[in-house]
Amino acid sequence: MLAAIAERNAYELALENFDIAADAMELEGDIREMIKFPERVLTVNIPVKMETGRVKHFEAYRVQHSTVRGPGKGGIRYHPNVTLDEVKALAMWMTWKCAVVNIPFGGAKGGVTCNPKALSQVELEHITRRYTAAILPLIGPEQDIPAPDVYTNSQTMAWIMDTYSMIKGYPIPGVVTGKPICLGGSLGRNEATGRGVFYTVRSACELLGLPLKGSKVVVQGFGNAGSIAAQLLHGAGAFVIAVNDTTGGIYNSRGFDIPAVIAFKEQTGSVVGFPGSEPIKPEQLLALECDILIPAALENAVHEDNAHRVRAKIVGEAANGPLTPTADAILEDKGVFIIPDILCNAGGVTVSYFEWVQDLQHLFWDAQDVYNRLERVMNTAFNDVLKIRKDRKVAMRAAANMLGIGRVAEGVRIRGLYP
Ligand code: NAD
């Protein structure tokens, strides 16, 4: 049984997951040595002039786990809990994710240990520009392309692009993805993760013979990924009966008008108090009887203590690592069909790839073109994972890891080793 990212040291767990998948695949020892560890790890201390006029230093990282299949690709996280080990684990995760959806990128990740909620916009801009200058030798459209992650956004990407372009002397939009549209961002990037979740959930329903229309859906975390997945499932005739965010949760057994809930949250900053809803506590929400549960908040949402109470038939991991290893095992035993994160939420990096392609070509696609291409990529990846699941008689998570690792291993075998 392969494990999800857990309470334990994330990097140790990522290495352990790698070994389990590599053993199951009977991967040669030499190849393991070549693809298991990060290729490059950079730690920087960035001095930043704060609003007080005093200088404060922040520790920050950029890790390239693999560039076997193409330039590094991965987001930048601003969070007080960012550690080098976490960034190494997330970079490794990106390697397998990009390989699962078969896009020509390796895996990378970056992070700054800071509390963005306690920083002003000016301080965030200073941190971002100084961080960009510090990691500049590693990044670039042909080397490593950052994107937004937790507590970074399109504005952060615009600052990175600007700093990088200033130093190089000409505009280079392809250095980051998740940019504002006016700076070379892609149509459809904002909703890409939720859309990818929708496509994989739809495929799982077809597989299980569960009609999406009329199915009951519960969404934990009503942010970018969760709200868009909910909106698309609602549009396909599913009843989204409960959603929540950090401010609280709402329940309606007949299902919500999701565009109205999104509009309500935009106006009030919360889903709580939506007309016609009953309040619901986080633990009750996860235990609701439903067809599809979408954890779309943070890591470890379903754990040893609450996994037994989950009553969903399908769990679509919109978040990264929402199940602890124990929860994963419990749900597998219960026969829940789990769509693992490196497949389920790969729509975001897939449209990031489309953005990079459009930037390099200076030719932009319309939204429907982006959606059609994304749908093809997600459906193909789902079927590729499914085939391994059937052929090797393993769980979906194991199959996804085996697919990703197998593709990177194949790349390394063909490229060979510089003596
Ligand atoms: P977001 O900040 O837009 O939304 C997160 C939501 O979760 C917010 O509504 C927040 O209130 C809610 N939340 C946080 N803790 C919660 C809790 N304990 N209970 C209930 N709700 C809670 O973030 P996002 O971009 O939607 O990312 C969500 C998850 O999806 C993360 O794990 C992220 O790594 C993953 N993901 C996102 C993308 C993307 O492109 N947005 C891509 C891949 C993976």
Side-chain angles (χ1 to χ4, degrees):
M1 166 62 54
L2 291 179
I5 285 283
E7 317 87 333
R8 287 176 39 208
N9 178 298
Y11 184 54
E12 278 172 22
L13 202 74
L15 293 175
E16 192 180 307
N17 272 342
F18 173 83
D19 284 333
I20 295 169
D23 287 346
M25 297 161 69
E26 297 173 10
L27 195 65
E28 322 78 290
D30 287 352
I31 301 286
R32 289 185 197 214
E33 284 296 299
M34 291 166 75
I35 66 173
K36 183 171 172 179
F37 305 101
E39 288 173 11
R40 287 191 189 86
V41 176
L42 179 65
T43 299
V44 291
N45 275 299
I46 44 176
V48 175
K49 196 166 209 176
M50 308 297 283
E51 300 260 29
T52 57
R54 303 294 303 268
V55 172
K56 186 169 159 52
H57 99 276
F58 294 87
E59 196 157 291
Y61 316 96
R62 186 72 191 170
V63 173
Q64 290 169 358
H65 174 260
S66 172
T67 55
V68 169
R69 290 170 45 87
K73 187 86 192 86
I76 292 173
R77 180 171 289 200
Y78 287 0
H79 198 275
N81 298 342
V82 164
T83 62
L84 179 57
D85 271 357
E86 182 190 54
V87 177
K88 280 158 78 175
L90 291 166
M92 193 168 178
W93 211 338
M94 286 304 297
T95 302
W96 317 139
K97 190 184 291 189
C98 291
V100 163
V101 281
N102 217 357
I103 56 177
F105 284 141
K109 203 81 183 186
V112 179
T113 312
C114 65
N115 180 6
K117 288 187 178 168
L119 295 165
S120 70
Q121 272 299 94
V122 172
E123 289 166 342
L124 282 170
E125 179 174 353
H126 288 175
I127 288 177
T128 304
R129 290 186 180 279
R130 194 77 202 200
Y131 172 65
T132 306
I135 64 165
L136 196 110
L138 253 56
I139 61 171
E142 275 88 35
Q143 284 173 271
D144 178 359
I145 306 120
D149 190 69
V150 175
Y151 293 129
T152 54
N153 54 29
S154 59
Q155 175 63 75
T156 323
M157 296 306 111
W159 289 328
I160 296 177
M161 179 213 153
D162 184 65
T163 310
Y164 187 83
S165 302
M166 274 166 57
I167 294 172
K168 293 286 178 181
Y170 56 98
I172 309 173
V175 66
V176 281
T177 59
K179 293 180 295 294
I181 301 291
C182 65
L183 289 178
S186 176
L187 293 172
R189 172 64 187 90
N190 189 44
E191 57 267 45
T193 302
R195 194 166 272 279
V197 171
F198 169 70
Y199 293 142
T200 55
V201 166
R202 189 181 61 185
S203 295
C205 285
E206 280 165 16
L207 179 76
L208 302 182
L210 182 79
L212 192 51
K213 195 169 177 187
S215 64
K216 286 185 180 171
V217 178
V218 170
V219 179
Q220 187 223 24
F222 203 64
N224 174 282
S227 68
I228 305 243
Q231 185 174 357
L232 292 167
L233 288 162
H234 167 79
F239 296 112
V240 182
I241 58 169
V243 303
N244 72 353
D245 59 23
T246 43
T247 62
I250 53 173
Y251 171 74
N252 182 330
S253 61
R254 285 164 303 163
F256 287 112
D257 173 358
I258 292 296
V261 179
I262 292 174
F264 183 83
K265 178 162 174 165
E266 269 166 21
Q267 278 163 16
T268 66
S270 167
V271 295
V272 177
F274 181 74
S277 70
E278 289 170 36
I280 185 164
K281 296 203 169 89
E283 288 304 308
Q284 290 174 314
L285 177 132
L286 290 172
L288 280 172
E289 186 166 3
C290 63
D291 298 296
I292 301 153
L293 171 65
I294 301 188
L298 295 176
E299 288 110 79
N300 305 327
V302 185
H303 44 76
E304 190 172 13
D305 298 332
N306 61 13
H308 290 287
R309 292 199 288 276
V310 169
R311 289 188 287 164
K313 298 187 180 84
I314 295 171
V315 171
E317 293 187 335
N320 282 316
L323 311 188
T324 66
T326 316
D328 193 49
I330 292 169
L331 295 190
E332 278 293 336
D333 283 350
K334 283 165 69 123
V336 178
F337 187 88
I338 299 168
I339 313 171
D341 45 14
I342 61 169
L343 169 64
C344 192
N345 70 30
V349 75
T350 302
V351 177
S352 269
Y353 162 58
F354 297 161
E355 179 175 331
W356 177 74
V357 168
Q358 292 170 80
D359 288 337
L360 296 187
Q361 294 182 339
H362 310 286
L363 181 66
F364 289 86
W365 311 341
D366 62 31
Q368 195 55 50
D369 202 358
V370 172
Y371 300 156
N372 293 344
R373 288 171 189 267
L374 175 63
E375 187 171 6
R376 279 202 297 276
V377 169
M378 296 307 295
N379 289 346
T380 303
F382 187 90
N383 289 329
D384 289 348
V385 173
L386 207 59
K387 184 169 184 323
I388 295 182
R389 173 181 178 257
K390 279 186 192 148
D391 290 351
R392 307 298 294 259
K393 298 192 174 37
V394 291
M396 284 292 278
R397 189 182 311 284
N401 277 306
M402 288 163 82
L403 177 64
I405 292 170
R407 283 186 172 149
V408 177
E410 186 189 1
V412 143
R413 252 180 238 118
I414 294 169
R415 279 179 63 157
L417 181 63
Y418 185 72

